[in-house]
Amino acid sequence: MDILLIGGLWLDRSVWDRVASTLESLGHRPVPLTLPGQGDGSASATLEDQVAAVLAAVDAAPGKPVVVGHSAACTLAWLAADRRPERLAGVVLIGGFPFSDGHAYADFFEVRDGVVPFPGWGPFEGPEIADLDEGARRRLAAAAIPVPAAVAQGVVRLADERRFDVPVVVVCPEFTPAQARKWIDGGDVPELARAGRVDFADIDAGHWPMVSRPEELARILAAAAEAA
């Protein structure tokens, strides 16, 4: 099965290299995506440009793919479910949740000269980076790509209620499945509260399991694809 891999803020497709290698060995076809503004050299890309890139990959898949979103890109994966509900086998959300219609995509960090640079590790102290050694942190920071402001500040638009029929797996790295269920049931994640099927997968990792636990993450993604 095709498994489309979408990295979160500051990441390009290379962050999935080790996950992709394991997925191939498990019989799947990983498709790490290059997002406009995050790997193609553009500093003027918009959120809609990124959505279009994801939809192009969905449309190019020979069958129904699973779309995987990491962190902020959980919303990108969910936007694919909204725009192509009949074309997806499922959605996997790693370390994040989709925002609702009308919410800014990822307006969390300071904009400088039209882009959102990687802010350093200060905002991520604690469980999010506890499993990253100094070398891994240096490599991630050195490779980080400033995200165009028009991506981070873009407004999420959801319209097709058939998205709630697309199966969802929430991969829980720095939080537990019990916490995720509590947030969903408590109304903090209204999109998933309305989803018809939401499953959970635990992984003992921080916020970047594709870096710290790539083989384990790949097995989780393969199992989600096979279940879908």
Side-chain angles (χ1 to χ4, degrees), residues 31-56:
V31 184
L33 300 189
T34 296
L35 294 174
Q38 290 178 230
D40 70 344
S42 171
S44 60
T46 68
L47 176 60
E48 278 304 311
D49 291 334
Q50 292 202 346
V51 174
V54 175
L55 296 181

Side-chain angles (χ1 to χ4, degrees), residues 85-168:
E86 75 287 351
R87 285 281 291 121
L88 299 193
V91 167
V92 180
L93 310 175
I94 302 171
F97 302 94
F99 282 128
S100 300
D101 181 72
H103 199 287
Y105 173 65
D107 193 14
F108 310 127
F109 302 98
E110 181 183 359
V111 175
R112 301 179 195 167
D113 299 323
V115 297
V116 180
F118 178 65
W121 294 110
F124 306 106
E125 287 296 336
E128 293 185 66
I129 60 172
D131 62 336
L132 295 178
D133 61 27
E134 287 301 319
R137 295 182 197 184
R138 282 195 302 271
R139 288 189 294 273
L140 272 172
I145 300 168
V147 177
V151 171
Q153 297 176 338
V155 177
V156 175
R157 294 300 180 199
L158 299 165
D160 194 331
E161 297 213 345
R162 291 180 298 164
R163 67 185 181 275
F164 300 121
D165 298 328
V166 177
V168 178

